[in-house]
Amino acid sequence: MRSAIIVPGVTDLNKGDQALVWETHRLVHDMQCFDQIYIVSTGDTAQERQLLCGQSEAKGYQLVETLLKHPRRGNHNQAEVIQESAFSFLRLAFRAALDFCSQWFLLVICRSEALVSFFYSPKTAQSVRQFRTAEVLFVKGGGFIHAYGEKTAPYLMWFFLFYVRLGKALGKKVVFLPNSYGPFQGFTVASQVKSVFATLDKIYAREALSANKLGELMGQTIAVSPDLGFYLQKDSSAAALQLLERYNLDPRQQKLVGITIRPWRFPGFSNPEALYANYLQSVKSLAIKLVESGYQVVFCNQSIGPNAHEDDRNAIRELLQDWQDPAVHWIDENLPCDVLKSVYSHFYAFVGTRFHSVIFSLTSCIPSIAIGYGGNKAKGIMADFNLPDFTVPIESVTADQLQAMFDRLVAEHKQIQDLLANQNVNLGIKRAELLLELKNLVG
């Protein structure tokens, strides 16, 4: 019986990550090479596991218990949105050090059933057994291989690459599906990436900019294939329209503009609070002008946790504080990614910080603006989509920039929709090519 495992894990609270895992599963399933396909679970407490895996389990996906817990262990301080306290950092660092020692030893002995069973819990031994019997590890698409020189960068990179190290230690094929890469700043970061990626059986970048950055580091050509989130199929039921109706929104009679924002700590910058305040104010200023122009502004949750930094609701609450208008709406829901994409498909335009909210909109032929953060993904993917003028970095965004881009988006609305329709046809071709390449690789 042939099996495959998708790593590093599912996170149902982040709808972009959820879409990437679900689409990775669909891609591997469509290869028709495996009898069993497993996804690594996440969550450090029973409550977190339900929140992070519940929607995926309800869809029928089979899970493998995680081997590497987050060093916070469920202690996510909801008040630490932008800055983390010294105490929280020290607690995180202490647990990370213990985890590193424990999991490093596991990598050394992982081939031995007897040694793993002796030194580790039955749950850990069972998970390692499933990895030992798997044939291929597929690293889900995304954009998590980057660092800005922050104090946590060395461990963060080790954490993200742990399952790759485990797969290679067990002699498995490992395929890194389309990701964004870089920058690689910080102690050991570049060397970790270079040494681990040299062992991989196949590497894909999701845009040309990242392919060039990783290619320069590795001294090789990196294949480019679209982000797997582009292939997410929207929910075909009437759930999205019913939801909009519940929020007194009618896309047939109103022009709806969707917006996603997020907390961001501006790693590598010395003034994160000022940059964050400027970002929120810039988006708010645009939203005010949109309301004045007759649009209905709709804020949406693209990610709601598990920690405060990943919970978009914290940013939305702050932006909407002391501002109420009947033309401003907040769809405060925990929707599965396919239903959320269906909601976005009814908008006239979209302004997204969470980049998979932009991807969901682009593939629904909704003209969109991207506020880029966290590596090369926004700049690279918007350029690959022939929309390089509709993205701005989060650290330098201004209200005037956003308004100018939105004005151009309106002026070129039909042309952009036609461009997106053509791009979506090309996406189908690209997925078929990726599927064939993977089938040939796995055999």
Side-chain angles (χ1 to χ4, degrees):
M1 179 176 289
R2 303 178 73 183
S3 66
I5 299 180
I6 298 167
V7 300
V10 64
T11 49
D12 283 343
L13 292 181
N14 184 314
K15 307 312 172 181
D17 281 347
Q18 183 185 61
L20 289 169
V21 171
W22 289 10
E23 283 304 302
T24 299
H25 190 284
R26 187 165 74 94
L27 184 71
V28 177
H29 176 270
D30 288 352
M31 291 169 61
Q32 298 181 334
C33 296
F34 301 101
D35 303 292
Q36 299 285 349
I37 305 169
Y38 298 97
I39 298 171
V40 174
S41 69
T42 48
D44 303 318
T45 65
Q47 181 183 19
E48 278 192 4
R49 180 192 165 94
Q50 174 58 34
L51 290 171
L52 291 167
C53 303
Q55 291 180 347
S56 292
E57 286 189 296
K59 292 275 285 189
Y61 296 118
Q62 296 178 285
L63 303 184
V64 175
E65 286 296 321
T66 184
L67 290 167
L68 186 61
K69 289 188 175 183
H70 195 284
R72 286 190 177 89
R73 297 292 196 279
N75 298 125
H76 301 291
N77 190 329
Q78 296 304 311
E80 296 175 355
V81 178
I82 302 303
Q83 290 277 40
E84 190 164 48
S85 69
F87 175 77
S88 294
F89 177 78
L90 289 173
R91 181 175 57 190
L92 181 148
F94 176 74
R95 287 174 172 166
L98 294 179
D99 288 347
F100 176 80
C101 295
S102 173
Q103 301 310 99
W104 174 83
F105 185 61
L106 180 62
L107 292 175
V108 173
I109 67 170
C110 61
R111 286 180 179 260
S112 171
E113 171 80 22
L115 289 175
V116 172
S117 297
F118 180 79
F119 285 104
Y120 293 89
S121 69
K123 184 180 294 186
T124 295
Q126 172 60 24
S127 292
V128 175
R129 192 175 302 118
Q130 288 181 276
F131 276 90
R132 197 180 294 119
T133 57
E135 184 176 338
V136 184
L137 269 62
F138 291 93
V139 182
K140 72 176 181 68
F144 52 93
I145 305 301
H146 60 80
Y148 295 87
E150 57 267 45
K151 297 186 292 290
T152 57
Y155 181 78
L156 187 67
M157 197 53 57
W158 184 88
F159 183 93
F160 283 132
L161 294 175
F162 168 78
Y163 285 109
V164 176
R165 289 185 167 94
L166 177 64
K168 299 315 292 185
L170 291 169
K172 308 302 177 183
K173 287 183 178 178
V174 179
V175 177
F176 223 95
L177 290 169
N179 265 262
S180 291
Y181 306 103
F184 309 113
Q185 300 169 7
F187 182 63
T188 77
V189 170
S191 60
Q192 284 193 66
V193 173
K194 189 172 182 178
S195 62
V196 171
F197 273 64
T199 69
L200 298 178
D201 296 273
K202 187 66 179 180
I203 306 168
Y204 291 96
R206 61 182 178 179
E207 25 80 17
L209 180 58
S210 284
N212 293 335
K213 294 292 185 182
L214 183 61
E216 291 172 3
L217 179 68
M218 301 297 298
Q220 67 185 72
T221 300
I222 305 299
V224 177
S225 188
D227 183 281
L228 296 185
F230 282 117
Y231 306 130
L232 178 68
Q233 298 169 320
K234 66 183 180 182
D235 178 73
S236 59
S237 72
L241 281 173
Q242 292 170 352
L243 178 71
L244 291 172
E245 183 179 358
R246 183 151 53 86
Y247 281 85
N248 298 316
L249 293 167
D250 184 355
R252 294 163 295 188
Q253 303 294 328
Q254 303 164 315
K255 284 187 175 180
L256 314 181
V257 178
I259 296 179
T260 58
I261 56 176
R262 65 154 300 167
W264 186 241
R265 290 176 174 166
F266 295 88
F269 291 90
S270 60
N271 56 336
E273 294 94 343
L275 291 173
Y276 184 61
N278 172 72
Y279 156 61
L280 291 185
Q281 185 57 50
S282 297
V283 176
K284 183 175 182 178
S285 296
L286 174 67
I288 291 172
K289 290 183 179 179
L290 292 176
V291 169
E292 292 172 350
S293 299
Y295 295 98
Q296 299 288 313
V297 173
V298 186
F299 289 91
C300 302
N301 300 333
Q302 182 74 18
S303 177
I304 57 173
N307 58 57
H309 177 55
E310 294 296 336
D311 192 337
D312 298 350
R313 295 172 298 186
N314 290 319
I316 297 172
R317 288 189 192 100
E318 186 167 348
L319 186 147
L320 294 180
Q321 187 177 14
D322 301 323
W323 183 42
Q324 293 182 347
D325 191 288
V328 177
H329 312 264
W330 177 11
I331 299 182
D332 189 9
E333 306 280 345
N334 180 18
L335 301 174
C337 56
D338 54 347
V339 176
L340 189 59
K341 178 174 180 176
S342 184
V343 170
Y344 295 167
S345 72
H346 294 289
F347 293 160
Y348 170 79
F350 201 87
V351 180
T353 305
R354 290 286 185 183
F355 196 69
H356 276 94
S357 68
V358 177
I359 286 178
F360 293 177
S361 298
L362 293 177
T363 49
S364 301
C365 292
I366 307 302
S368 303
I369 296 168
I371 301 173
Y373 69 93
N376 297 317
K377 54 188 175 184
K379 183 178 179 181
I381 294 177
M382 292 297 277
D384 285 357
F385 238 65
N386 294 321
L387 294 170
D389 297 334
F390 291 94
T391 182
V392 59
I394 192 171
E395 66 272 12
S396 59
V397 65
T398 67
D400 289 342
Q401 283 176 307
L402 291 177
Q403 185 63 54
M405 283 192 286
F406 192 85
D407 290 343
R408 182 176 171 186
L409 181 148
V410 172
E412 301 175 12
H413 197 270
K414 180 61 168 63
Q415 298 96 303
I416 294 173
Q417 284 187 315
D418 292 342
L419 170 66
L420 295 177
N422 290 330
Q423 291 281 16
N424 286 333
V425 172
N426 293 332
L427 285 170
I429 298 171
K430 293 291 186 181
R431 186 180 188 275
E433 292 174 350
L434 176 61
L435 187 61
L436 181 60
E437 289 176 8
L438 293 176
K439 290 182 71 172
N440 290 335
L441 175 67
V442 172

